[in-house]
Amino acid sequence: MKKSTHIKLTCLFVLATALVKAQNVTNVKLTNPDDAPIISKHIYGHFAEHLGRCIYGGFYVGEDSDIPNTNGVRNDVIKALKELKVPNLRWPGGCFADTYHWRDGIGPKEDRPEMVNRWWGGVTEDNSFGTHDFLNLCEVLEAEPYLAANVGSSTVQEFTEYIQYVTHPDGSPMADLRKKNGREKPWSIGFWGVGNEMWGCGGNMTPEYYANIYRQYATFMSDWTNSHGMYRVASGANVADYHWTEVLMREIPKSLIEGVALHSYSFVTWSKKGSATGFNEAQYFSTMETALKMDELIKKHTEIMDKYDPEHKVDLIVDEWGGWYEVEEGTNPGFLYQQNTMRDAMIAGTTLNIFNNWAHRVKMANLAQTINVLQAVILTEDEKMLLTPTYHVMKMYNVHHDAKLLPVEFESPKYEFEGKSLPSISISASKDKNNVVHISLVNIDASKENTVELDVEALGFKKAEGQILVSKKLQDHNTFDNPKNIVPELFKDFKIKKGKLSVTLPPFSVVVLESK
């Protein structure tokens, strides 16, 4: 071969390699419009239902427990949730809410009646964790209470007396009862859910019937503290039931509603959810397919809301979301106890990015659930406790709380599997009150790394530091014997040059970058 030919071929090879590499880089445009919405911290809310070992054995071990506690609530749980900066906590359900009668959970614990939890395992509960316990816990956590009130098996009178009990300052029968039970001042209640899943366990109602029931209950709701007004959330649609949202938005006067809910879970298939840890790539791909559908759900429900509420007076509240799999072997099927892997980190990262990017309409969301149930952030076993990959993602992302959204535009590369494809990259960004920029990135591809290049020159992004959550296998998880198998690490695989931030994301990883 002639020398000149060899040089030409070498040059062509180098050029081809450079072109391929360029094609593998995803270019991302960040903007900073003056009218961009604030990402509400309440998007990062949590959910604590009387289900399995979420309350009893999770949060609450009782005042006499050998496990260190404050008024019966585990100290290690309190510490972990305070570090997570939990903005709001939803209680007591879920399906449990529409069978719960609040008077059973007040007064001396030894005098409280027992009840059967008909929805979750048929176990008998002693009501030792009630309203005072929950609202006092929220004060300790500095979290807004989100009370899901009983509409399915209660009355308007019982509901309004509950509101009076917790919020009326004095001079009323319910305020006097609260004081008798040891609480002088009323609590400040952030949010009220007017029933739960009224299309299912809340009563199998039609949307037309529930809309009228809602109007009745909402009419009699009064916030006696007058601290920030009554925030009423209607029981919203199940996944893609757009007719439900249509009816509620059409039939409920805007003077009676502040939020409408949406519930959607991620799974392999509803009938065969598969193992939380023993899944294959096909099951992983299917789960991520349902998780990423959240963007479409919000878009279509929002379009309906915009038609009836162009001024955006009513918020979309995704108060149940997360991964749902088969329970761990040997556990009560009614307790919904499952492990938490890097797959769940992918669900958390992508879903939170979706919520952030819909911040103009999504104002609150609640991961299901906090401890020992579904996609939990904490697992407990007697005196032991561990933090899950989902916990670490939510903690990495809490930099977005109440920060201004920086909209992103890009065309994601594809994660391809068996002839199907999904967008592999998910991104959201914000600027906080100190003008610090945070960018959260997720690569869901099970085997390929992806490089993204962000134009950050206009944002004054000169230096950065980062964290990454990643592991060797999608099935990796934390155990009580190895609780720090998966933890955030320092991330350095990025560079900033001439206003361009180039980031290389390993397979199934979550990265958060901060400007310096």
Side-chain angles (χ1 to χ4, degrees), residues 10-69:
T10 301
C11 290
L12 287 171
F13 175 77
V14 171
L15 178 61
T17 302
L19 287 171
V20 170
K21 187 174 182 180
Q23 289 170 354
N24 289 336
V25 173
T26 299
N27 293 302
V28 181
K29 180 182 178 182
L30 279 82
T31 57
N32 185 19
D34 292 337
D35 61 348
I38 299 298
I39 299 171
S40 172
K41 66 180 180 180
H42 291 295
I43 283 174
Y44 293 80
H46 293 263
F47 176 27
E49 184 169 4
H50 283 247
L51 197 174
R53 293 189 298 111
C54 184
I55 300 297
Y56 300 109
F59 280 96
Y60 189 75
V61 292
E63 292 87 340
D64 298 329
S65 174
D66 292 333
I67 298 172
N69 68 86

Side-chain angles (χ1 to χ4, degrees), residues 180-197:
K180 180 182 177 181
N181 289 329
R183 174 76 182 196
E184 183 67 25
K185 295 181 179 180
W187 292 278
S188 179
I189 307 301
F191 310 95
W192 286 92
V194 186
N196 167 77
E197 295 190 355

Side-chain angles (χ1 to χ4, degrees), residues 148-326:
N150 185 346
V151 171
S153 65
S154 181
T155 63
V156 172
Q157 181 177 345
E158 182 178 350
F159 190 4
T160 55
E161 287 179 347
Y162 192 20
I163 296 172
Q164 187 184 127
Y165 181 86
V166 297
T167 65
H168 200 287
D170 54 48
S172 75
M174 292 300 103
D176 292 343
L177 180 58
R178 181 191 69 242
K179 293 178 181 182
K180 180 182 177 181
N181 289 329
R183 174 76 182 196
E184 183 67 25
K185 295 181 179 180
W187 292 278
S188 179
I189 307 301
F191 310 95
W192 286 92
V194 186
N196 167 77
E197 295 190 355
M198 307 310 292
W199 38 263
C201 60
N204 282 303
M205 299 178 184
T206 64
E208 292 80 6
Y209 182 79
Y210 171 64
N212 281 328
I213 291 291
Y214 176 90
R215 291 165 63 132
Q216 179 188 13
Y217 274 75
T219 298
F220 291 95
M221 296 173 70
S222 298
D223 180 13
W224 299 102
T225 63
N226 292 317
S227 58
H228 45 55
M230 179 70 71
Y231 193 102
R232 298 156 294 190
V233 181
S235 172
N238 179 27
V239 196
D241 186 351
Y242 302 114
H243 175 65
W244 187 278
T245 300
E246 180 95 27
V247 172
L248 265 55
M249 292 300 297
R250 184 184 69 222
E251 300 296 330
I252 298 174
K254 302 307 172 284
S255 60
L256 293 177
I257 184 173
E258 285 69 46
V260 61
L262 170 65
H263 289 182
S264 181
Y265 288 92
S266 306
F267 41 77
V268 179
T269 66
W270 185 247
S271 59
K272 294 182 179 179
K273 301 183 185 70
S275 168
T277 56
F279 57 90
N280 56 32
E281 187 174 353
Q283 292 169 312
Y284 168 67
F285 187 94
S286 180
T287 305
M288 293 312 302
E289 195 171 25
T290 60
L292 294 176
K293 194 174 179 65
M294 181 67 76
D295 188 66
E296 176 187 319
L297 294 174
I298 294 174
K299 179 179 183 294
K300 292 186 176 181
H301 284 291
T302 292
E303 287 172 350
I304 296 168
M305 295 175 73
D306 287 347
K307 181 169 69 172
Y308 295 98
D309 177 34
E311 297 178 349
H312 288 198
K313 292 182 177 180
V314 182
D315 301 329
L316 183 59
I317 310 297
V318 190
D319 57 15
E320 288 189 29
W321 68 272
W324 192 326
Y325 320 116
E326 303 298 339

Side-chain angles (χ1 to χ4, degrees), residues 424-443:
S424 58
I425 301 298
S426 168
I427 304 174
S428 68
S430 68
K431 178 185 283 191
D432 67 18
K433 61 183 179 182
N434 298 316
N435 290 322
V436 177
V437 174
H438 293 98
I439 304 171
S440 49
L441 309 100
V442 184
N443 176 19

